[in-house]
Amino acid sequence: IGRARCEHCGLQSPDSLYTVTDIQNKNMEVRIGDEARRYPLANDSLITGYNSLSAVAFLSEFGIPREKISASMEKLSISETRYQETVVGGKKIILHLAKGQNPVACSRVFDNVRKYPGRKAAMLFLEDYFDAAKSVENMSWLYDTDFEFLGDDGITQIVVAGARHLDTYVRLLMADVPDERIAHTQENAEAAAYLKPELFDAEFIPSDVYTIGLANDIKAQVAKMLEKGGSKNEGCDFVP
């Protein structure tokens, strides 16, 4: 993101002085000239890598020693309103802020879901709070968002909820996400009923910045389901 070059005149973004070359196991490797250094991360999200690299570059340019920067980064954590992992019944429930009507934010979240290890399910609550209340006509942001990431074979189930569930359902189909993996409903409170815990090891709940309360309510429903060791959608007559 942000790299550009004109093929005609050669004008391009300047070369990076600080470059992340690897992110894994809550660590990132940063190339500074000919030297490679490792720094701790709060999680393995690419977004966390961007933010942490900015901090490393800024502090390094001011002459702060690498050891001091690394020690400070060891103490960092992600705000639970943006990212939160909980283990229930041997499975993970992950709240992940996505920001409705924001193609870049949602694309990054979908990419994180795709890259997360194991089998994943995703429950999408992407509607902007104000759109959900009064509705808007412009849904073009869905087509600027990389829903194609959700077609990865590691994502075994997707549940879409909210007033715009049909718009998102169509977008998923256009992104070649298999229809048999998708369920959708207008009622947010019904979303958890369509989950099949036997299909996933981790369940993501991407939600808008103004619907954190809703995300926590859904998380509680999913946790209750997993505590019982099964799905509460048995016998459901829902047809996508």
Side-chain angles (χ1 to χ4, degrees), residues 52-143:
S52 299
L53 178 64
S54 298
V56 167
F58 179 84
L59 295 172
S60 297
E61 288 296 304
F62 273 83
I64 306 299
R66 176 183 63 178
E67 294 75 14
K68 191 170 184 178
I69 297 173
S70 183
S72 295
M73 292 176 69
E74 285 279 7
K75 304 173 185 177
L76 295 178
S77 61
I78 303 297
S79 169
E80 290 191 350
T81 59
R82 290 184 170 269
Y83 188 92
Q84 179 188 141
E85 290 191 11
T86 305
V87 178
V88 181
K91 298 179 184 291
K92 289 186 178 180
I93 306 174
I94 302 171
L95 298 184
H96 203 322
L97 186 65
K99 298 182 181 179
Q101 297 193 25
N102 187 322
V104 173
C106 288
S107 294
R108 297 274 59 82
V109 171
F110 295 167
D111 193 28
N112 288 342
V113 176
R114 175 175 68 100
K115 292 177 178 177
Y116 199 86
R119 303 174 304 158
K120 290 88 60 174
M123 301 175 67
L124 307 182
F125 301 90
L126 303 179
E127 291 174 356
D128 178 271
Y129 175 81
F130 302 102
D131 177 23
K134 297 185 177 180
S135 188
V136 298
E137 294 181 359
N138 186 1
M139 294 302 295
S140 62
W141 74 274
L142 288 175
Y143 296 89

XYZ file of all heavy atoms in Angstrom, residues 52-143:
726
model
N 3.451 -0.664 14.263
C 4.676 -0.881 15.033
C 5.903 -0.432 14.260
O 6.855 0.108 14.840
C 4.791 -2.362 15.415
O 3.702 -2.757 16.217
N 5.894 -0.644 12.950
C 7.024 -0.194 12.136
C 7.161 1.323 12.199
O 8.274 1.855 12.268
C 6.854 -0.645 10.684
C 7.958 -0.178 9.719
C 9.307 -0.782 10.109
C 7.607 -0.548 8.288
N 6.025 2.026 12.180
C 6.074 3.493 12.286
C 6.739 3.917 13.592
O 7.560 4.840 13.623
C 4.657 4.069 12.208
O 4.049 3.774 10.978
N 6.382 3.232 14.680
C 6.968 3.556 15.978
C 8.470 3.257 15.995
O 9.272 4.062 16.494
C 6.258 2.776 17.076
N 8.851 2.106 15.443
C 10.275 1.735 15.405
C 11.076 2.760 14.601
O 12.148 3.209 15.016
C 10.442 0.326 14.809
C 11.921 0.052 14.471
C 9.923 -0.730 15.779
N 10.556 3.146 13.438
C 11.261 4.110 12.587
C 11.394 5.455 13.299
O 12.478 6.067 13.316
C 10.519 4.268 11.267
N 10.297 5.923 13.867
C 10.307 7.225 14.541
C 11.319 7.247 15.682
O 12.160 8.153 15.788
C 8.897 7.522 15.053
C 8.776 8.826 15.796
C 8.593 10.019 15.113
C 8.838 8.855 17.179
C 8.478 11.227 15.799
C 8.733 10.056 17.869
C 8.554 11.247 17.183
N 11.248 6.234 16.553
C 12.122 6.210 17.727
C 13.583 5.987 17.344
O 14.495 6.569 17.940
C 11.649 5.128 18.694
C 10.261 5.362 19.306
C 9.802 4.139 20.089
C 10.260 6.600 20.201
N 13.810 5.163 16.327
C 15.178 4.907 15.875
C 15.815 6.171 15.301
O 17.000 6.451 15.537
C 15.190 3.795 14.822
O 14.729 2.575 15.368
N 15.034 6.946 14.555
C 15.553 8.192 13.980
C 15.924 9.195 15.066
O 16.778 10.055 14.858
C 14.524 8.807 13.032
C 14.347 8.061 11.719
C 15.622 8.076 10.882
O 16.132 9.176 10.583
O 16.115 6.978 10.535
N 15.294 9.079 16.219
C 15.626 9.962 17.336
C 16.721 9.380 18.223
O 17.007 9.910 19.294
C 14.382 10.262 18.171
C 13.594 11.425 17.654
C 12.696 11.260 16.619
C 13.782 12.700 18.175
C 11.983 12.341 16.119
C 13.071 13.788 17.679
C 12.158 13.612 16.651
N 17.305 8.260 17.781
C 18.462 7.720 18.487
C 18.158 6.846 19.678
O 19.058 6.535 20.473
N 16.911 6.410 19.832
C 16.575 5.521 20.954
C 17.171 4.134 20.670
O 16.971 3.582 19.588
C 15.043 5.404 21.135
C 14.409 6.780 21.272
C 14.716 4.516 22.335
C 14.897 7.561 22.463
N 17.902 3.537 21.595
C 18.528 2.230 21.362
C 17.499 1.134 21.059
O 16.383 1.152 21.591
C 19.246 1.941 22.687
C 19.435 3.278 23.309
C 18.249 4.087 22.912
N 17.886 0.202 20.222
C 16.992 -0.885 19.832
C 16.481 -1.645 21.047
O 15.305 -2.020 21.125
C 17.737 -1.849 18.898
C 16.916 -3.070 18.513
C 17.703 -4.039 17.658
N 18.854 -4.566 18.380
C 19.686 -5.467 17.869
N 19.522 -5.906 16.639
N 20.707 -5.903 18.573
N 17.364 -1.913 22.022
C 16.976 -2.691 23.195
C 15.868 -1.989 23.991
O 14.947 -2.635 24.512
C 18.193 -2.932 24.103
C 19.266 -3.815 23.494
C 20.104 -3.101 22.430
O 20.022 -1.834 22.367
O 20.798 -3.782 21.657
N 15.939 -0.675 24.059
C 14.945 0.086 24.808
C 13.605 0.072 24.065
O 12.536 -0.059 24.684
C 15.418 1.521 25.017
C 14.572 2.315 25.997
C 15.226 3.639 26.354
C 14.408 4.372 27.411
N 15.057 5.650 27.813
N 13.655 0.199 22.735
C 12.433 0.138 21.933
C 11.775 -1.232 22.089
O 10.567 -1.344 22.320
C 12.746 0.407 20.447
C 13.309 1.814 20.267
C 11.485 0.222 19.592
C 13.796 2.104 18.858
N 12.572 -2.280 21.968
C 12.059 -3.643 22.058
C 11.450 -3.914 23.425
O 10.374 -4.512 23.542
C 13.184 -4.641 21.775
O 12.708 -5.965 21.783
N 12.107 -3.453 24.481
C 11.600 -3.677 25.844
C 10.252 -2.984 26.043
O 9.350 -3.516 26.700
C 12.618 -3.174 26.864
N 10.110 -1.796 25.463
C 8.842 -1.069 25.582
C 7.736 -1.765 24.795
O 6.586 -1.843 25.243
C 9.011 0.371 25.084
O 9.903 1.088 25.910
N 8.086 -2.293 23.618
C 7.091 -2.957 22.791
C 6.611 -4.263 23.413
O 5.499 -4.714 23.136
C 7.661 -3.198 21.384
C 7.884 -1.904 20.609
S 8.656 -2.146 18.988
C 7.333 -2.964 18.099
N 7.408 -4.860 24.264
C 7.006 -6.079 24.971
C 5.789 -5.828 25.864
O 5.011 -6.734 26.146
C 8.162 -6.591 25.842
C 9.289 -7.266 25.071
C 8.975 -8.715 24.731
O 7.833 -9.141 24.971
O 9.869 -9.394 24.207
N 5.608 -4.587 26.295
C 4.540 -4.241 27.227
C 3.245 -3.853 26.508
O 2.232 -3.623 27.160
C 4.992 -3.079 28.114
C 6.283 -3.341 28.880
C 6.744 -2.087 29.602
C 8.100 -2.298 30.274
N 8.580 -1.049 30.923
N 3.272 -3.761 25.175
C 2.111 -3.276 24.430
C 1.039 -4.351 24.296
O 1.332 -5.545 24.249
C 2.537 -2.814 23.030
C 3.481 -1.613 22.967
C 3.843 -1.319 21.519
C 2.835 -0.391 23.604
N -0.202 -3.910 24.225
C -1.322 -4.807 23.956
C -2.329 -4.065 23.084
O -2.333 -2.834 23.031
C -1.988 -5.279 25.258
O -2.499 -4.163 25.974
N -3.184 -4.818 22.396
C -4.202 -4.231 21.549
C -5.457 -3.960 22.372
O -5.876 -4.802 23.176
C -4.554 -5.177 20.384
C -3.296 -5.500 19.568
C -5.618 -4.560 19.490
C -2.676 -4.313 18.894
N -6.061 -2.794 22.185
C -7.320 -2.490 22.858
C -8.349 -3.561 22.527
O -8.498 -3.964 21.377
C -7.841 -1.121 22.404
O -9.163 -0.922 22.850
N -9.058 -4.043 23.538
C -10.024 -5.120 23.336
C -11.194 -4.689 22.455
O -11.921 -5.536 21.942
C -10.521 -5.644 24.684
C -9.450 -6.415 25.442
C -10.008 -7.151 26.639
O -11.186 -6.895 26.983
O -9.285 -7.979 27.224
N -11.402 -3.390 22.292
C -12.458 -2.943 21.378
C -12.028 -3.087 19.922
O -12.872 -3.007 19.025
C -12.815 -1.467 21.644
O -11.654 -0.653 21.461
C -13.353 -1.298 23.056
N -10.740 -3.317 19.682
C -10.240 -3.480 18.324
C -9.907 -4.935 18.002
O -10.113 -5.383 16.874
C -8.992 -2.603 18.096
C -9.328 -1.126 18.070
C -8.128 -0.265 17.754
N -8.549 1.110 17.519
C -8.874 1.609 16.338
N -8.830 0.845 15.280
N -9.245 2.867 16.216
N -9.389 -5.651 18.969
C -9.015 -7.051 18.727
C -9.011 -7.782 20.058
O -8.398 -7.330 21.024
C -7.643 -7.145 18.064
C -7.278 -8.537 17.606
C -7.570 -8.958 16.314
C -6.639 -9.436 18.455
C -7.239 -10.232 15.877
C -6.313 -10.715 18.035
C -6.611 -11.101 16.740
O -6.289 -12.371 16.304
N -9.699 -8.922 20.086
C -9.791 -9.681 21.338
C -9.942 -11.164 21.016
O -10.770 -11.536 20.186
C -11.003 -9.187 22.135
C -11.239 -9.904 23.439
C -12.556 -9.501 24.058
O -13.265 -10.339 24.617
N -12.939 -8.228 23.952
N -9.135 -11.988 21.644
C -9.221 -13.438 21.476
C -9.642 -14.082 22.801
O -9.085 -13.779 23.848
C -7.881 -14.032 21.031
C -7.481 -13.688 19.612
C -6.294 -14.519 19.129
O -5.924 -15.493 19.812
O -5.741 -14.200 18.062
N -10.624 -14.975 22.725
C -11.091 -15.715 23.888
C -11.211 -17.185 23.509
O -11.667 -17.501 22.408
C -12.469 -15.206 24.357
O -12.398 -13.795 24.588
C -12.896 -15.896 25.642
N -10.791 -18.091 24.402
C -10.897 -19.529 24.147
C -12.061 -20.083 24.957
O -12.111 -19.923 26.182
C -9.591 -20.266 24.500
C -9.753 -21.766 24.264
C -8.421 -19.719 23.681
N -12.994 -20.729 24.268
C -14.149 -21.355 24.908
C -14.340 -22.739 24.305
O -14.433 -22.882 23.084
C -15.441 -20.533 24.710
C -16.612 -21.213 25.404
C -15.264 -19.116 25.238
N -14.382 -23.761 25.142
C -14.587 -25.112 24.644
C -13.530 -25.567 23.652
O -13.818 -26.334 22.732
N -12.321 -25.074 23.830
C -11.222 -25.463 22.940
C -11.208 -24.734 21.608
O -10.363 -25.026 20.752
N -12.126 -23.787 21.414
C -12.170 -23.016 20.170
C -12.016 -21.529 20.489
O -12.376 -21.072 21.576
C -13.489 -23.257 19.427
C -13.687 -24.709 19.000
C -15.018 -24.901 18.291
C -15.260 -26.361 17.948
N -14.351 -26.843 16.890
N -11.514 -20.765 19.526
C -11.296 -19.341 19.734
C -12.467 -18.519 19.201
O -13.019 -18.814 18.147
C -9.996 -18.888 19.054
C -8.734 -19.393 19.730
C -7.498 -18.791 19.101
C -6.226 -19.262 19.818
N -5.014 -18.675 19.208
N -12.821 -17.485 19.947
C -13.755 -16.464 19.484
C -12.952 -15.176 19.373
O -12.335 -14.736 20.355
C -14.926 -16.267 20.459
C -15.623 -17.590 20.759
C -15.926 -15.261 19.887
C -16.692 -17.472 21.836
N -12.947 -14.577 18.185
C -12.092 -13.419 17.933
C -12.934 -12.231 17.492
O -13.575 -12.263 16.440
C -11.040 -13.745 16.856
C -10.189 -14.942 17.304
C -10.160 -12.523 16.577
C -9.269 -15.478 16.239
N -12.955 -11.183 18.333
C -13.594 -9.929 17.955
C -12.575 -9.099 17.183
O -11.433 -8.937 17.624
C -14.051 -9.159 19.185
C -15.102 -9.817 20.080
C -15.516 -8.856 21.195
C -16.319 -10.231 19.274
N -12.972 -8.573 16.028
C -12.034 -7.844 15.172
C -12.750 -6.629 14.589
O -13.704 -6.769 13.829
C -11.550 -8.758 14.038
C -10.229 -8.355 13.447
N -9.863 -7.036 13.259
C -9.191 -9.100 12.975
C -8.663 -6.998 12.714
N -8.236 -8.233 12.539
N -12.300 -5.437 14.957
C -12.898 -4.221 14.439
C -12.686 -4.132 12.927
O -11.573 -4.324 12.436
C -12.271 -2.997 15.117
C -12.896 -1.643 14.794
C -14.325 -1.581 15.322
C -12.057 -0.515 15.403
N -13.765 -3.862 12.184
C -13.665 -3.834 10.722
C -14.001 -2.477 10.126
O -13.525 -2.146 9.047
C -14.589 -4.897 10.121
N -14.832 -1.663 10.754
C -15.226 -0.338 10.271
C -16.053 -0.425 8.990
O -15.513 -0.534 7.882
C -14.009 0.562 10.041
C -13.204 0.848 11.304
C -12.050 1.780 11.031
C -11.243 2.047 12.293
N -10.089 2.943 12.059
N -17.360 -0.357 9.141
C -18.258 -0.416 8.001
C -18.038 0.729 7.030
O -17.620 1.826 7.412
N -18.326 0.484 5.751
C -18.166 1.434 4.659
C -16.711 1.878 4.488
O -16.443 2.947 3.934
C -19.081 2.648 4.855
C -20.560 2.276 4.843
C -21.473 3.465 4.730
O -21.097 4.509 4.212
N -22.700 3.317 5.196
N -15.780 1.064 4.929
C -14.355 1.370 4.801
C -13.677 0.195 4.097
O -13.333 -0.805 4.731
C -13.739 1.609 6.185
C -12.310 2.103 6.108
O -11.537 1.678 5.255
N -11.956 3.008 7.012
N -13.480 0.274 2.776
C -12.943 -0.868 2.020
C -11.569 -1.329 2.490
O -11.309 -2.530 2.545
C -12.888 -0.345 0.582
C -13.876 0.773 0.538
C -13.842 1.397 1.890
N -10.682 -0.392 2.820
C -9.331 -0.777 3.224
C -9.364 -1.512 4.560
O -8.753 -2.572 4.724
C -8.405 0.455 3.305
C -7.046 0.062 3.888
C -8.219 1.080 1.929
N -10.092 -0.964 5.523
C -10.167 -1.595 6.849
C -10.763 -2.996 6.752
O -10.233 -3.954 7.328
C -10.990 -0.728 7.796
N -11.865 -3.142 6.006
C -12.505 -4.459 5.893
C -11.626 -5.433 5.123
O -11.535 -6.615 5.475
C -13.867 -4.319 5.218
S -15.117 -3.531 6.265
N -10.955 -4.962 4.085
C -10.069 -5.840 3.308
C -8.941 -6.375 4.171
O -8.576 -7.554 4.092
C -9.490 -5.094 2.100
O -10.501 -4.751 1.175
N -8.394 -5.533 5.009
C -7.305 -5.964 5.882
C -7.794 -7.006 6.886
O -7.098 -7.955 7.208
C -6.698 -4.766 6.610
C -6.048 -3.739 5.691
C -4.600 -4.043 5.326
N -4.386 -5.310 4.648
C -4.563 -5.498 3.338
N -5.003 -4.519 2.589
N -4.315 -6.667 2.782
N -9.003 -6.805 7.396
C -9.559 -7.782 8.334
C -9.790 -9.114 7.627
O -9.457 -10.186 8.148
C -10.868 -7.261 8.950
C -11.562 -8.369 9.756
C -10.594 -6.067 9.855
N -10.363 -9.076 6.425
C -10.608 -10.312 5.681
C -9.295 -11.031 5.389
O -9.239 -12.267 5.413
C -11.328 -10.003 4.369
C -12.717 -9.435 4.541
C -13.380 -8.852 3.460
C -13.365 -9.461 5.770
C -14.649 -8.321 3.614
C -14.639 -8.935 5.933
C -15.279 -8.363 4.848
N -8.248 -10.282 5.097
C -6.942 -10.891 4.848
C -6.413 -11.543 6.120
O -5.815 -12.624 6.082
C -5.967 -9.821 4.338
C -4.697 -10.417 3.754
O -4.745 -11.567 3.244
O -3.649 -9.748 3.780
N -6.630 -10.901 7.265
C -6.209 -11.489 8.539
C -6.947 -12.794 8.812
O -6.354 -13.763 9.303
C -6.461 -10.505 9.687
C -5.503 -9.333 9.683
O -4.449 -9.383 9.052
N -5.865 -8.266 10.361
N -8.247 -12.816 8.516
C -9.023 -14.048 8.693
C -8.457 -15.146 7.793
O -8.262 -16.294 8.219
C -10.514 -13.809 8.372
C -11.291 -15.126 8.464
C -11.112 -12.781 9.330
N -8.186 -14.793 6.558
C -7.647 -15.772 5.595
C -6.323 -16.363 6.073
O -6.085 -17.568 5.938
C -7.460 -15.079 4.239
C -6.810 -15.929 3.165
C -6.797 -15.184 1.843
N -5.919 -14.029 1.875
C -4.686 -14.001 1.369
N -4.187 -15.095 0.810
N -3.972 -12.897 1.404
N -5.462 -15.545 6.638
C -4.122 -15.982 7.010
C -4.066 -16.636 8.390
O -3.052 -17.247 8.742
C -3.162 -14.789 6.969
C -2.924 -14.254 5.557
C -2.014 -13.031 5.572
C -1.746 -12.536 4.167
N -0.925 -11.293 4.168
N -5.124 -16.512 9.169
C -5.122 -17.098 10.511
C -5.081 -18.623 10.386
O -5.779 -19.203 9.558
C -6.374 -16.662 11.264
C -6.278 -16.820 12.760
C -5.716 -15.827 13.550
C -6.749 -17.970 13.390
C -5.632 -15.964 14.930
C -6.661 -18.120 14.767
C -6.100 -17.114 15.530
O -6.004 -17.265 16.892
N -4.280 -19.300 11.197
C -4.143 -20.757 11.051
C -5.412 -21.526 11.401
O -6.230 -21.075 12.207
C -2.998 -21.093 12.027
C -2.997 -19.975 13.026
C -3.408 -18.755 12.265
N -5.564 -22.680 10.789
C -6.672 -23.563 11.099
C -7.933 -23.257 10.320
O -7.944 -22.467 9.384
N -9.028 -23.899 10.734
C -10.325 -23.696 10.088
C -11.038 -22.521 10.761
O -11.103 -22.450 11.986
C -11.183 -24.953 10.199
C -10.547 -26.217 9.617
C -11.433 -27.424 9.908
N -11.666 -27.552 11.344
C -12.690 -28.205 11.893
N -13.578 -28.799 11.118
N -12.824 -28.287 13.196
N -11.579 -21.622 9.934
C -12.195 -20.420 10.476
C -13.640 -20.275 10.012
O -13.995 -20.715 8.917
C -11.445 -19.161 10.022
C -10.076 -18.979 10.633
C -8.979 -19.644 9.869
C -8.837 -19.160 8.445
N -7.669 -19.720 7.759
N -14.439 -19.651 10.873
C -15.763 -19.165 10.492
C -15.749 -17.658 10.698
O -14.978 -17.136 11.513
C -16.858 -19.804 11.340
N -16.585 -16.952 9.945
C -16.654 -15.496 10.087
C -18.111 -15.061 10.129
O -18.913 -15.486 9.296
C -15.934 -14.806 8.931
N -18.456 -14.254 11.120
C -19.785 -13.661 11.207
C -19.630 -12.174 10.923
O -18.946 -11.464 11.656
C -20.382 -13.886 12.601
C -20.515 -15.348 12.967
S -21.085 -15.570 14.675
C -22.742 -14.924 14.567
N -20.243 -11.698 9.849
C -20.025 -10.335 9.381
C -21.145 -9.397 9.828
O -22.302 -9.576 9.459
C -19.921 -10.310 7.853
C -18.896 -11.267 7.228
C -18.869 -11.080 5.713
C -17.503 -11.066 7.815
N -20.770 -8.406 10.636
C -21.676 -7.331 11.036
C -21.025 -6.025 10.570
O -20.417 -5.306 11.355
C -21.874 -7.324 12.555
C -22.432 -8.610 13.098
C -21.591 -9.634 13.510
C -23.801 -8.805 13.168
C -22.101 -10.816 14.009
C -24.323 -9.987 13.671
C -23.482 -11.001 14.083
N -21.126 -5.728 9.290
C -20.329 -4.670 8.676
C -21.080 -3.355 8.489
O -20.480 -2.366 8.066
C -19.810 -5.139 7.313
C -18.973 -6.424 7.325
C -18.547 -6.773 5.916
C -17.759 -6.270 8.234
N -22.359 -3.330 8.768
C -23.121 -2.121 8.519
C -22.703 -0.986 9.446
O -22.560 -1.179 10.655
C -24.616 -2.390 8.707
C -25.179 -3.287 7.640
C -26.620 -3.654 7.921
O -27.144 -3.266 8.979
O -27.200 -4.338 7.083
N -22.502 0.158 8.868
C -22.278 1.342 9.667
C -23.501 1.583 10.552
O -24.643 1.410 10.122
C -22.045 2.542 8.741
C -21.852 3.832 9.507
O -22.865 4.492 9.772
O -20.714 4.168 9.836
N -23.264 1.979 11.783
C -24.351 2.168 12.741
C -25.426 3.112 12.198
O -26.623 2.865 12.307
C -23.788 2.721 14.047
C -24.827 3.079 15.078
C -25.398 2.100 15.890
C -25.235 4.407 15.252
C -26.353 2.426 16.838
C -26.188 4.731 16.197
C -26.734 3.747 16.982
O -27.685 4.077 17.920
N -24.989 4.197 11.571
C -25.936 5.194 11.081
C -26.651 4.712 9.825
O -27.811 5.045 9.583
C -25.215 6.513 10.834
C -24.530 7.025 12.073
C -23.165 6.879 12.241
C -25.266 7.618 13.094
C -22.541 7.332 13.390
C -24.645 8.068 14.250
C -23.280 7.932 14.402
N -25.950 3.894 9.026
C -26.609 3.297 7.856
C -27.694 2.331 8.319
O -28.796 2.293 7.782
C -25.570 2.564 6.994
C -26.196 1.862 5.802
O -27.297 2.273 5.381
O -25.590 0.913 5.287
N -27.388 1.552 9.331
C -28.358 0.587 9.839
C -29.594 1.292 10.394
O -30.711 0.783 10.319
C -27.718 -0.267 10.928
N -29.407 2.498 10.937
C -30.516 3.230 11.540
C -31.385 3.929 10.499
O -32.610 3.896 10.574
C -29.977 4.252 12.538
N -30.744 4.553 9.498
C -31.501 5.375 8.537
C -31.342 4.924 7.094
O -32.082 5.381 6.220
C -31.077 6.838 8.672
C -31.395 7.433 10.041
C -31.073 8.914 10.089
C -31.457 9.513 11.426
N -31.149 10.960 11.506
N -30.355 4.097 6.819
C -30.097 3.549 5.489
C -29.537 4.606 4.533
O -29.830 5.790 4.633
C -31.360 2.924 4.881
O -31.046 2.247 3.685
N -28.689 4.148 3.633
C -28.152 4.996 2.573
C -28.257 4.230 1.266
O -28.457 3.021 1.252
C -26.672 5.372 2.833
C -26.531 6.174 4.110
C -25.794 4.133 2.897
N -28.115 4.927 0.161
C -28.246 4.288 -1.142
C -26.911 3.766 -1.673
O -26.877 2.865 -2.490
C -28.840 5.274 -2.149
C -30.277 5.681 -1.828
C -30.849 6.634 -2.851
O -30.116 6.976 -3.795
O -32.015 7.028 -2.701
N -25.801 4.341 -1.231
C -24.499 4.017 -1.810
C -23.888 2.780 -1.162
O -23.472 2.823 -0.008
C -23.561 5.208 -1.662
C -22.229 4.980 -2.371
O -22.004 3.949 -2.987
N -21.355 5.960 -2.283
N -23.864 1.681 -1.910
C -23.236 0.457 -1.417
C -21.988 0.118 -2.227
O -21.507 -1.008 -2.217
C -24.231 -0.703 -1.488
C -25.422 -0.541 -0.552
S -24.915 -0.361 1.181
C -24.189 -1.967 1.489
N -21.447 1.111 -2.946
C -20.300 0.843 -3.824
C -19.080 0.373 -3.046
O -18.218 -0.316 -3.593
C -19.950 2.094 -4.634
O -19.575 3.160 -3.767
N -19.001 0.718 -1.744
C -17.827 0.333 -0.962
C -17.669 -1.182 -0.888
O -16.547 -1.694 -0.760
C -17.889 0.932 0.446
C -18.871 0.297 1.368
C -20.189 0.597 1.501
C -18.608 -0.767 2.291
N -20.780 -0.207 2.447
C -19.829 -1.051 2.953
C -17.472 -1.504 2.629
C -19.942 -2.038 3.923
C -17.580 -2.485 3.594
C -18.797 -2.745 4.228
N -18.780 -1.918 -1.000
C -18.694 -3.381 -0.999
C -17.848 -3.883 -2.156
O -17.158 -4.902 -2.054
C -20.094 -3.991 -1.079
C -20.984 -3.888 0.167
C -22.372 -4.426 -0.149
C -20.372 -4.619 1.340
N -17.884 -3.154 -3.272
C -17.182 -3.597 -4.478
C -15.762 -3.051 -4.553
O -15.017 -3.382 -5.467
C -18.013 -3.229 -5.712
C -19.328 -3.977 -5.684
C -20.436 -3.443 -5.045
C -19.424 -5.257 -6.206
C -21.623 -4.158 -4.957
C -20.600 -5.974 -6.120
C -21.695 -5.419 -5.491
O -22.859 -6.135 -5.391
